[in-house]
Amino acid sequence: MNTIIFKNSDEACKKASDMICSVVKEKNDALLGLATGGTMENVYKYIVEEYKNKKVDFKSIRTINLDEYVGLNGDHPQSYRKYMDDRFFNHVNILKENTYVPVTTGDINKELLRIKDIIDGNKGADVQLLGVGINGHIAFNEPCDRLNASVSVVDLDEGTIKANSRYFSSIDEVPKKAVSLGIGDILKAKKIILLAFGCEKANAIRELLKNDFITTKVPCTFLKAHNDVTVIIDEALSKEL
Ligand code: PGA
């Protein structure tokens, strides 16, 4: 596992953007595995900047997002489809039909099959961007006795609902379920870039970097089974390890 520590999250996001852009330059029809959340916002800001500087071209690029809340329409302000459109897709020359964020308002079983097809059709994403929850979740794979290998509908942990309530007007509005890629789907990616900032992520990152255990109680520890993972953290987090 390759770990890179940056002074601050902004520099770290620039590095993640550079890594994603090099995959785009190497393979013009790459499948990018994308993530949402506060951590990723500046990654997309820098990717869009690269596009505006004519350094990258998204015309044949395909994307798949890790997850989506069940029941939120794509135009809901807190849906991950809207997050992606607002921060990335609407600002580059990607074809919307090549961007995939789970659609969770219709026939979900059909949707799960569609996601499997996208992942298996490409034998996993060419690069997977990942955040991590305070509890160690990756995508919405929450700590549990067992974890799903492939995409499924999952229950959100109480801590995750609380953490994500900052984006909703009340905690009751936070959806309790999500469609999420499974751990196996994530591990199929050819390359994984995980970003984590701030001391509240220290427990999860310590379990990932400081011992040799893999445990369903801290889902990010499954990344130890992958041979091309870059963990990008800031100094505030690294001081707590
Ligand atoms: P955050 O979420 O970037 O908003 O901290 C990360 C996650 O829950 O995976």
Side-chain angles (χ1 to χ4, degrees):
M1 197 146 331
N2 180 24
T3 307
I4 315 179
I5 303 166
F6 282 95
K7 221 178 177 47
N8 57 54
S9 61
D10 197 54
E11 288 174 19
C13 288
K14 175 73 176 89
K15 172 68 180 173
S17 158
D18 288 347
M19 291 177 75
I20 298 282
C21 288
S22 13
V23 173
V24 170
K25 286 173 197 164
E26 274 162 29
K27 187 175 176 193
N28 68 3
D29 65 345
L31 177 66
L32 309 180
L34 300 178
T36 52
T39 309
M40 298 301 154
E41 296 200 6
N42 283 339
V43 177
Y44 297 122
K45 178 189 89 177
Y46 283 118
I47 294 177
V48 168
E49 216 171 271
E50 284 293 280
Y51 170 75
K52 295 212 158 126
N53 290 332
K54 300 195 181 346
K55 303 274 173 52
V56 271
D57 184 356
F58 292 94
K59 109 173 151 276
S60 307
I61 291 293
R62 299 160 299 139
T63 68
I64 180 162
N65 266 73
L66 286 171
D67 42 27
E68 178 63 284
Y69 292 117
V70 165
L72 294 198
N73 260 313
D75 54 4
H76 186 286
Q78 297 311 330
S79 74
Y80 291 156
R81 159 53 71 183
K82 178 130 178 66
Y83 174 109
M84 293 307 302
D85 284 350
D86 288 353
R87 289 165 181 79
F88 182 13
F89 303 147
N90 287 347
H91 305 287
V92 300
N93 66 335
I94 200 161
L95 299 177
K96 274 292 171 71
E97 63 264 34
N98 287 346
T99 69
Y100 180 75
V101 183
V103 178
T104 60
T105 47
D107 181 343
I108 295 218
N109 287 331
K110 217 163 128 191
E111 200 60 14
L112 299 182
L113 291 175
R114 203 169 143 215
I115 299 169
K116 279 193 177 117
D117 276 354
I118 297 172
I119 292 174
D120 294 344
N122 200 69
K123 298 194 169 67
D126 290 289
V127 60
Q128 178 66 59
L129 197 52
L130 274 187
V132 63
I134 294 167
N135 63 7
H137 74 202
I138 47 176
F140 275 132
N141 296 286
E142 303 284 22
C144 208
D145 289 338
R146 58 184 190 188
L147 294 167
N148 288 306
S150 27
V151 63
S152 65
V153 177
V154 295
D155 292 315
L156 303 191
D157 198 283
E158 239 173 77
T160 299
I161 293 172
K162 193 162 161 236
N164 291 5
S165 66
R166 67 193 195 274
Y167 297 115
F168 292 81
S169 42
S170 83
I171 195 160
D172 298 330
E173 283 181 25
V174 185
K176 309 292 180 284
K177 287 181 183 293
V179 166
S180 173
L181 295 199
I183 297 288
D185 298 323
I186 292 169
L187 291 177
K188 280 180 192 157
K190 288 152 190 102
K191 176 190 281 296
I192 296 177
I193 304 166
L194 180 136
L195 278 89
F197 308 136
C199 46
E200 80 257 21
K201 303 279 174 78
N203 286 341
I205 297 301
R206 195 176 302 116
E207 294 299 318
L208 176 62
L209 298 179
K210 299 291 182 190
N211 66 49
D212 194 40
F213 306 124
I214 291 177
T215 168
T216 59
K217 306 289 182 210
V218 189
C220 67
T221 58
F222 277 74
L223 298 176
K224 294 175 195 183
H226 194 283
N227 65 11
D228 189 351
V229 179
T230 302
V231 179
I232 303 180
I233 58 177
D234 62 355
E235 265 181 12
L237 195 162
S238 83
K239 280 189 188 132
E240 301 294 318
L241 294 179

